[in-house]
Amino acid sequence: MTTVLTPAAPAPPGSRPPGRARRLARRVTSPWTYAALIAILAGSAFPVYWSFVVSSQTTEAVGSVPPVLVPGGHLFENIARVFEQTDFALALGNSLIVAGTITVSVVLFSTLAGFAFAKMRFRGRTALLLVVVATQAIPTELGVVPLYMMMADFGWAGQLQAVIVPGLVTAFGVFFMRQYFERALPLELLEAGRMDGCGSLRLFWHVALPAARPAAAVLGLFTFMQAWNDFFWPLVVLVPENPTVQTALSTLASGYTTDYTLVLTAATIGTVPVLVVFLLFGRQIVGGIMQGALKG
Amino acid sequence: MAGTTTLTFAERRQKWDVKLSPFGFISPYFLIFGVFGLFPLLYTAFVSLQKRNLIDADGAQFIGFGNYEQLLFHDPYFWNAMGNTVSLWLLTTIPQILFALGIAHLLNRRLRGRMLFRMGMILPNITSVAAVTIIFAQLFGRDFGLINWVLSWFGGGHVDWQAGTASSHTAIASMVVWRWTGYHALIFLASMQAIPSSMYEAATLDGAKGWQQFWRITVPLLRPQIIFSTVIATTGNMRLLAEPLLFNPGTAAATGGSDRQFQTAALYLYEQGFTKYDFGYSSAIALILAVATMLVAGLSYLVTRRIQTD
């Protein structure tokens, strides 16, 4: 999935900031609105719930008509089966390594570059920033054949570094952190640091990095989810013997007879990490999208 | 005393530090992106002019526009894939934007549990495309699928969702729409909240009802977001690959159904490049798909730009 930057929402002339007074001015919400929203909510959550239902049932129950709609008592049995019959433990470990490394690297390098673009003066700054912005629009799928050829040349095909290394930086991350520094880090603070004889690296480490923490957390969250869910490139470059969670799922689903209980149990297990992140930080994720800054 | 010669070592070091560090700070990004992002992108154009197979890398031959000629004039599978791509683009993009507008309109009210509703809308978007497609493929199953079971209440059912062109496109489009509508709804909601309520109050005084207000005030003021969402959705939906690949359980082939009824252009690129290892041909598909995407995105830009602003 690509990361794209959304322009911030424009404020029409004469707009007031959203607030209590504005909300109160609106008439009382009708029960129909709630009914409609609850129906949509149910529709949003249903496939995830359904996946959980299937993973807690026996294979026979899943094939019955009418279908069962409530969880059964076979969840742990099915989980055990996933780990016995497939190499899902390896896939989970691989995904953790890939998504973890990419997250740390994207956050670090984006913060470094974003800080330089926002707060330092250098030749070609505007032009280089423009390059960063422009590259956000390029679909990576386009270069997938040459990238594969490179990986084969390096002897990396089938290895995790083939997935990790191209993901180590993102244009989106650089631009996102640059926008944050632009607003959130006063120049005086940096000048004071310089007066005290701080070098650039120390300034970055002791002033910029701590100040960037909130934005870096949001960027890290999104990067992790994206790297965890990435499908196409890992599918191309990895081998079934050394999968990530997503490519393991595709292998499981493409057998000649599909054991749906097994596959959906694996899908459920593979969704748990992002679901946990979502339950802990859902507010920040929604906030990031509402600011119009993020595309997952 | 002459100015420059009096700089101490520390001062000189700081001068160089200020001058060079910015380049050091941005270099990891440009180095990694240059090698693993930009270079492959440019090299695609070169590979697309070759007859080149993974198995026989030294046997690569320069054949000019041969791949393009084959694709455009002698390959019905390619045109079939392009047709499916455009069909799926229409079936995904338009409902996505319309549903998102409606949902944002519902969310833009005084609501209890606002955060719960917002999080619920974005839940589909955080789930992985592989998991989602496998779940939907099961829901759309012919014999034991939940959707056919529900349809049977109305006298329907037993649709073989994968078999037909229309039915398979509907199923695949529903996955994409399910996954992305909430995201666009939140983008729209953010802009809706910036519309001053005085505009609606004035409209109410003029006698405009709810729907009229929605089409005459809300939608025109949201024009920039609608344009943006449409273009983004277009570029995403023109390269659907995971959904048609995984909607085909039971086989490992990338043909998009027994009769290629739901093979998209991106899936055809994958089939040629990574199951048949015809790298030159696959690169040519990549470039044509990129050009087609730009054209379609430009078209959707022109269409959405025509939203009236009174």
Side-chain angles (χ1 to χ4, degrees):
Chain A
M1 213 180 303
T2 46
T3 319
V4 187
L5 188 92
T6 349
S15 68
R16 269 183 286 165
R20 201 176 141 76
R22 193 186 60 88
R23 280 202 302 275
L24 287 178
R26 214 153 276 170
R27 63 199 151 80
V28 178
T29 310
S30 84
W32 290 112
T33 303
Y34 281 104
L37 281 172
I38 288 168
I40 295 165
L41 196 64
S44 285
F46 184 76
V48 179
Y49 168 76
W50 173 252
S51 168
F52 173 70
V53 168
V54 173
S55 40
S56 62
Q57 296 282 358
T58 59
T59 310
E60 294 76 53
V62 171
S64 68
V65 179
V68 280
L69 289 169
V70 287
H74 301 271
L75 180 64
F76 294 105
E77 207 175 291
N78 288 327
I79 291 175
R81 224 152 54 84
V82 168
F83 286 105
E84 276 161 26
Q85 295 183 12
T86 73
D87 229 349
F88 212 64
L90 174 71
L92 280 167
N94 281 346
S95 277
L96 217 57
I97 293 170
V98 168
T101 317
I102 286 178
T103 303
V104 170
S105 158
V106 165
V107 169
L108 179 72
F109 289 147
S110 300
T111 313
L112 258 178
F115 173 60
F117 275 122
K119 297 292 165 185
M120 297 168 108
R121 304 271 163 268
F122 55 94
R123 265 176 103 75
R125 187 173 76 139
T126 318
L128 287 171
L129 187 63
L130 218 73
V131 171
V132 175
V133 174
T135 53
Q136 286 189 115
I138 300 171
T140 40
E141 284 93 334
L142 224 175
V144 80
V145 163
L147 193 60
Y148 182 85
M149 285 160 44
M150 284 168 72
M151 294 306 171
D153 278 348
F154 294 169
W156 288 3
Q159 313 278 323
L160 289 188
Q161 62 261 41
V163 179
I164 294 172
V165 175
L168 289 177
V169 295
T170 60
F172 167 73
V174 174
F175 191 72
F176 181 75
M177 292 314 293
R178 185 246 175 209
Q179 295 301 83
Y180 181 78
F181 278 127
E182 194 82 352
R183 278 183 287 119
L185 189 62
L187 218 51
E188 296 80 49
L189 204 64
L190 297 169
E191 277 158 10
R194 287 253 184 242
M195 296 295 240
D196 292 343
C198 263
S200 299
L201 209 57
R202 276 188 61 189
L203 218 52
F204 171 77
W205 199 255
H206 294 292
V207 181
L209 207 54
R213 211 175 290 159
V218 173
L219 178 63
L221 227 57
F222 272 81
T223 309
F224 182 84
M225 293 204 299
Q226 226 163 63
W228 184 272
N229 287 337
D230 193 16
F231 177 71
F232 183 43
W233 177 239
L235 176 76
V236 165
V237 81
L238 292 181
V239 287
E241 297 75 41
N242 189 30
T244 62
V245 166
Q246 312 306 334
T247 62
L249 284 179
S250 98
T251 310
L252 264 178
S254 62
Y256 272 90
T257 51
T258 310
D259 180 347
Y260 268 116
T261 316
L262 193 74
V263 178
L264 290 196
T265 304
T268 307
I269 300 170
T271 309
V272 166
V274 279
L275 222 50
V276 168
V277 169
F278 181 63
L279 288 176
L280 291 175
F281 302 102
R283 201 173 279 275
Q284 283 85 334
I285 292 169
V286 168
I289 293 169
M290 295 270 293
Q291 279 164 32
L294 294 160
K295 184 172 165 76
Chain B
M1 280 193 286
T4 50
T5 52
T6 57
L7 284 176
T8 64
F9 174 70
E11 282 169 332
R12 221 172 313 150
R13 202 183 57 179
Q14 185 163 20
K15 201 177 135 203
W16 283 108
D17 174 47
V18 169
K19 215 170 189 170
L20 293 179
S21 307
F23 294 105
F25 285 12
I26 63 170
S27 59
Y29 170 75
F30 282 98
L31 275 175
I32 298 173
F33 174 75
V35 175
F36 296 100
L38 196 61
F39 171 73
L41 223 55
L42 300 175
Y43 201 64
T44 303
F46 176 67
V47 178
S48 77
L49 301 175
Q50 287 182 322
K51 188 167 181 53
R52 181 169 193 143
N53 196 294
L54 170 72
I55 316 295
D56 179 25
D58 300 325
Q61 284 176 302
F62 186 84
I63 55 164
F65 289 96
N67 287 324
Y68 292 95
E69 198 199 321
Q70 174 68 23
L71 268 174
L72 294 174
F73 302 111
H74 308 290
D75 187 349
Y77 289 162
F78 171 72
W79 288 110
N80 168 62
M82 287 305 282
N84 289 339
T85 303
V86 170
S87 156
L88 280 167
W89 164 66
L90 283 169
L91 284 173
T92 49
T93 309
I94 296 170
Q96 244 172 53
I97 302 299
L98 291 181
F99 289 158
L101 275 171
I103 292 172
H105 185 59
L106 287 176
L107 286 171
N108 188 27
R109 297 175 190 201
R110 226 179 123 192
L111 285 177
R112 283 172 191 282
R114 250 175 313 153
M115 205 53 197
L116 176 75
F117 284 121
R118 289 180 188 175
M119 278 173 67
M121 298 308 146
I122 208 65
L123 172 71
N125 195 241
I126 63 145
T127 52
S128 86
V129 63
V132 165
T133 310
I134 291 167
I135 294 167
F136 269 76
Q138 207 266 346
L139 289 171
F140 277 107
R142 187 189 60 187
D143 297 321
F144 306 112
L146 196 76
I147 289 169
N148 273 348
W149 178 63
V150 170
L151 285 178
S152 69
W153 302 346
F154 306 99
H158 289 281
V159 179
D160 191 345
W161 290 97
Q162 283 157 29
T165 305
S167 58
S168 61
H169 288 201
T170 308
I172 291 171
S174 72
M175 303 173 199
V176 180
V177 171
W178 178 78
R179 207 151 165 266
W180 285 99
T181 298
Y183 168 79
H184 294 294
L186 289 190
I187 298 267
F188 293 156
L189 175 62
S191 313
M192 278 184 190
Q193 300 204 322
I195 300 174
S197 55
S198 58
M199 293 191 75
Y200 293 105
E201 283 153 18
T204 308
L205 288 178
D206 290 343
K209 295 273 168 18
W211 270 116
Q212 276 177 312
Q213 293 188 9
F214 180 68
W215 288 113
R216 294 295 185 89
I217 301 174
T218 313
V219 170
L221 281 174
L222 247 54
R223 197 173 73 145
Q225 272 62 49
I226 294 173
I227 293 175
F228 178 79
S229 276
T230 309
V231 171
I232 286 302
T234 295
T235 51
N237 296 340
M238 283 290 286
R239 45 175 208 267
L240 295 181
L241 178 136
E243 291 89 347
L245 179 68
L246 291 172
F247 188 53
N248 198 8
T251 57
T255 52
S258 52
D259 207 17
R260 295 178 187 266
Q261 63 271 28
F262 50 92
Q263 184 176 48
T264 57
L267 190 54
Y268 193 48
L269 178 164
Y270 174 74
E271 187 197 0
Q272 290 299 324
F274 297 99
T275 68
K276 299 192 170 156
Y277 303 117
D278 193 340
F279 279 180
Y281 206 57
S282 182
S283 296
I285 300 171
L287 271 176
I288 296 179
L289 179 60
V291 171
T293 304
M294 280 193 290
L295 287 177
V296 175
L299 184 76
S300 32
Y301 170 77
L302 289 177
V303 170
T304 42
R305 216 182 49 162
R306 295 183 63 88
I307 294 171
Q308 60 172 4
T309 46
D310 304 324

